[in-house]
Every structure is written in structure tokens, then in C-alpha cells.
Amino acid sequence: MDRSQYNQCVERYADGLFRFAFSSLRNREQAEDVVQESFARVWEKVKTVDFAKAKSYLFTTAHHAMIDEVRQRQHFTSMEDFSSTTEKTATSPYPDVNDILHKALATLPEAQRSALLLRDYEGYSYQEIGDITGMSESQVKINIFRARTALKNYLKRIDNLIDIEP
Amino acid sequence: MNINTDNYEAYLLDYMDGNLSPDETKQLQAFVAAQGLDWDELTEGLPRLEAPAVTYEGKESLKKKAVFVPLFAKIAAAAAAIALLFALFWKPSATMPQQELMAELQPRKTVLPEAEEISFPTPKATTYQIKNQPIAKNKATISHQEERTEMPLLADLNPVSGKEIHLTDDYLIANSLLPDPMIFNFEPEVAFIEEEPYYDDDWEPSLIDRGVIRLTNGRYGSIGEMIGGVFHRVSHEVATTTARVAMTAYYKADNQIEEAKERWQEKRERKDEE
């Protein structure tokens, strides 16, 4: 890959990468850090990364960076609740219509969330998601199924809350 | 299909994706029923996320712009490439032994004046430490030097062969000029990437035509980093050798090879006359 192709990657994938990172971390600044780090890694290996595989390389790098980010966050914020801490500082780029589902994403385990985001946002195959996350294809499917089930149950609970409101 | 409690959810997802045959669907439904689970509850109303339209604002800062490279640096880089190709593909003729050509190609005092010799400062004795970096991996043993015999013009790499490399923070060398990892068991991926250097009028062009520049921060880099913007921290030995390779390649470019041949031919003729 050359410099021109690298710049094409920025143009094509930076939005999706940021969306992926933001949806997981729910914090704009940290999501931007993940995007910058991912592209820095690609630039570092620009001569050896194949242009056709650059997107997969970017998302794999971002996935690992997010895991590190979440671990650091757990370390430094002790037992503070993940969703509640980010909720105060995050500036959501999402329209209100999807806000409930995207809030529900924060309640999912990391493996379920990443697999679901890569599937629904980026349209990756189960095999490709496995390559990015290091899971087997079967594990990917199970995580996605459980993620959808959890979101469904979350929406049910929201419905119930609305029903009992006066 | 071997459905069990560990994998039935994967099959449920396959079913919802429409990837199960009617027979497989029946097997799955039978399994779900046998587990006392509700088929409709499992398979209906599962949401899919819609990707929100998001724009990352910092694209321009991520993009890489072409770095201005002085003409003499371009010439040096091109000459190095030509020399490398020559080294790889040139076969000495029967009338001019390779050893004699190599002798003719030794850099001459006239092109390497003492005053312009590159001197590297003494490298730090300690290995570069970065928190959370797998520093133990920053050691690699160079080996397989016998494979280098087909690249005679790069024979100057020999001084680093067989020695353990300790990465330090003293030298920055372009990725493209590092010893070939296919030949040397070197691990460039464990080296560290610096940010792109800032170029200004403080360059020392006298060093650039040697294949090595001194950066404005006082450290050394090679012509390759000016083009690729990627460079690594390496040991003093690798830095020195890389510089030597660049210099050797430059001073043994095509015209000098021709000159060497002519000199050799003249010597041979003089000898015949005697």
C-alpha cells in the first residue's frame, strides 16, 4: 500500500471506525484516540499491509485498542459503572430514534458488543468477525445471538416501564 | 448437524439468516422443544442495529502529505535503488572477476573526505524502556549471513551479522533501509515508531548526500524516512551499517561501476603492454 492508498483508507474507513469505537466506548475522546492509533499502526506498516486488507487490519487494531482502553478504564475507575461514567461525558452523535438501542449496547459484554457492531454496522461475515476478534465462527454467532436477545429483553423492559407510567 | 446446548444459539442465528434447510430447521426445532424452550420466544423480535450516520471530523489530520525531498536526496535514493538492483541481478563477466570489481568499487578518499566522515555518538548502554512494551522481544539475533553472498555490493552489512541487537533510542533508521528481515532474523515490528520529523532550514545537506541526514532534534535518520516517514529506533551497529549501505550504494552507482570497469580494463591493458 502506498501513501495515496493509505489516504483513501482514511477517507473510506475513518467514519466507520469512529462509529465502531464510539459505540463501544461511549466516549468521543477515547474513540478518537482509538481511530488515531489504528491509523497510526497502519501507517507504521503501510508498506506491508495490503490495500484490500487494510479495512480488516484497521478494525482488528481498533478492537484490540478498545479492549486495552476498557481494561485501563476498569483499572483506573475502580468499580465505577461503565455506562454511567461515560454517560456524563459522552457527546452522542446518534439521532434520538436509535438512542435506546445504543444505550443498551453499553450493557452488553465486550465480545457480544463488538461482534454485533461489526455485523450490523460494517456488514462483516461471521468468519471475518472471527478473524478480527479472535473468536471462532461459532463463538461469533453465539455472541451475536445473545446480544440480539439481550437487546430484545432490554427493549421489553423499556416498554414495561412506559406502560406503568401514569 | 450436531446440535447441543453449547452451539444451538449459533444454529438459531443460522436459521434467522435463512441458512438452514427445512430438515435442519426441524432438527433445531426438535432440540429446542426437548430443552423446554419456546421457539417463538427465541426467534421473534430480535432487533438489528441501524448504523447511524457518523462523520469523523479529523480525517485531514490523519492523512499523510508528500514530504518535500531535496533533489540531491532523490538522486541519492535513486542511485541506491539502482545499485541495489545491480547488486541483485548483476553477474560479473568472465573477463572481470567479481572480486576485482569489488576492489575497484571501494569508496575512494576523494569522495569520502575525512572532514565529512559521519561520527555517531556512543549509544546508551541501557536498552530503551517503554512502559507496557514487551522489551524482551527487542532482542534479535542476526543470522543466515551465508544467504548474503548473492548480494556482493551489500557486503558491508557483515559487521552486524551474528551479533545480538539491542534496540536503543539513539538512532532512527528508515524501515526501507533496515537489513532485510527475510535474510536477517530481525524483528522490525518490535521497534518503535517515531512521529514524523519536522523539517526546516536547519538540515545539513552535506550529510544528505551521504545517504544519512541529521534531524533537527539532533538524532540521525536516513534518506528513506524522508520519503516514507517511517523509521525505527535501532542499535548503533545497525545505524552505522545502514548508513554504510546507503553510502556504499550511492558511491557505487551505475556510473561508478562503469568507471571501475574502465579502470580495471586500463590496468589490464597496461599489464599486457608490460
Side-chain angles (χ1 to χ4, degrees), chain A residues 7 11 15 120 126 152, chain B residues 17 41 44 49 56 63:
Chain A
N7 286 339
E11 200 58 51
D15 291 343
D120 284 0
Y126 299 125
K152 173 184 163 184
Chain B
D17 288 344
E41 177 64 24
E44 290 181 1
L49 298 174
Y56 179 71
K63 291 179 182 175

Side-chain angles (χ1 to χ4, degrees), chain B:
Chain B
M1 258 174 96
N2 179 26
I3 306 173
N4 55 49
T5 51
D6 291 331
N7 65 18
Y8 77 98
E9 291 158 300
Y11 286 113
L12 283 168
L13 199 64
D14 283 336
Y15 163 76
M16 285 181 285
D17 288 344
N19 292 331
L20 290 189
S21 68
D23 182 52
E24 289 171 330
T25 302
K26 281 181 185 173
Q27 288 184 53
L28 183 60
Q29 286 173 326
F31 177 85
V32 167
Q35 298 297 315
L37 300 171
D38 185 332
W39 175 265
D40 292 341
E41 177 64 24
L42 285 172
T43 59
E44 290 181 1
L46 294 180
R48 286 179 185 274
L49 298 174
E50 285 185 24
V54 171
T55 302
Y56 179 71
E57 305 290 349
K59 286 197 194 80
E60 289 309 312
S61 66
L62 291 175
K63 291 179 182 175
K64 301 292 180 186
K65 294 180 174 59
V67 177
F68 168 74
V69 180
L71 180 60
F72 42 79
K74 288 181 179 176
I75 293 169
I82 291 168
L84 184 59
L85 284 174
F86 177 85
L88 289 172
F89 298 110
W90 179 78
K91 302 291 180 191
S93 67
T95 56
M96 187 176 187
Q98 181 176 318
Q99 201 172 6
E100 292 188 35
L101 176 62
M102 289 298 294
E104 285 292 336
L105 284 171
Q106 291 300 316
R108 291 162 291 169
K109 280 278 182 183
T110 50
V111 293
L112 278 173
E114 292 289 339
E116 291 186 19
E117 282 288 353
I118 300 170
S119 62
F120 289 96
T122 305
K124 286 183 181 177
T126 54
T127 305
Y128 192 77
Q129 297 283 349
I130 286 183
K131 194 180 177 185
N132 296 331
Q133 288 282 354
I135 200 68
K137 290 177 64 181
N138 291 349
K139 296 179 180 178
T141 301
I142 290 178
S143 58
H144 310 305
Q145 59 175 307
E146 66 280 1
E147 295 180 37
R148 303 218 58 265
T149 53
E150 65 191 44
M151 302 167 69
L153 288 186
L154 297 180
D156 281 344
L157 273 173
N158 283 337
V160 296
S161 62
K163 293 182 180 178
E164 192 176 48
I165 291 176
H166 293 274
L167 300 178
T168 74
D169 61 348
D170 288 321
Y171 304 103
L172 305 174
I173 294 297
N175 188 36
S176 58
L177 289 181
L178 279 173
D180 188 343
M182 297 297 289
I183 298 173
F184 294 96
N185 184 23
F186 182 71
E187 299 180 48
E189 69 272 14
V190 301
F192 305 103
I193 294 300
E194 276 288 326
E195 59 186 30
E196 282 187 274
Y198 174 73
Y199 299 111
D200 57 21
D201 294 336
D202 292 337
W203 282 1
E204 292 193 36
S206 64
L207 290 174
I208 292 176
D209 63 7
R210 317 294 296 278
V212 176
I213 61 166
R214 190 166 73 187
L215 302 181
T216 53
N217 64 4
R219 293 190 288 194
Y220 291 86
S222 75
I223 50 176
E225 76 188 24
M226 300 166 64
I227 300 166
V230 179
F231 48 103
H232 300 267
R233 301 177 194 279
V234 295
S235 69
H236 173 263
E237 287 163 322
V238 173
T240 308
T241 302
T242 307
R244 196 176 296 148
V245 169
M247 291 162 61
T248 303
Y250 176 61
Y251 288 117
K252 294 176 182 175
D254 49 357
N255 62 316
Q256 287 161 340
I257 290 165
E258 288 304 314
E259 287 173 7
K261 286 180 180 177
E262 287 173 13
R263 284 199 302 276
W264 179 81
Q265 190 63 35
E266 287 171 8
K267 282 181 188 173
R268 189 183 170 91
E269 287 170 3
R270 278 201 299 274
K271 197 174 179 181
D272 289 345
E273 286 173 6
E274 289 169 5

Side-chain angles (χ1 to χ4, degrees), chain A residues 83-166:
Chain A
S83 58
S84 64
T85 51
T86 53
E87 192 67 22
K88 294 168 189 169
T89 54
T91 307
S92 174
Y94 307 123
D96 291 341
V97 67
N98 284 325
D99 209 34
I100 293 174
L101 272 181
H102 289 292
K103 281 179 182 173
L105 275 175
T107 67
L108 299 178
E110 187 277 327
Q112 292 183 19
R113 183 170 55 239
S114 289
L116 186 69
L117 290 171
L118 290 167
R119 178 69 176 174
D120 284 0
Y121 282 5
E122 303 303 322
Y124 276 115
S125 70
Y126 299 125
Q127 180 62 55
E128 289 170 326
I129 295 169
D131 291 341
I132 290 171
T133 59
M135 290 187 275
S136 70
E137 189 173 337
S138 180
Q139 286 174 322
V140 169
K141 289 178 180 176
I142 290 168
N143 273 299
I144 290 177
F145 179 82
R146 289 179 180 174
R148 293 201 196 289
T149 303
L151 292 183
K152 173 184 163 184
N153 293 335
Y154 187 93
L155 290 174
K156 268 187 183 174
R157 287 198 296 276
I158 296 291
D159 278 346
N160 292 338
L161 286 175
I162 293 170
D163 287 344
I164 61 174
E165 280 184 4

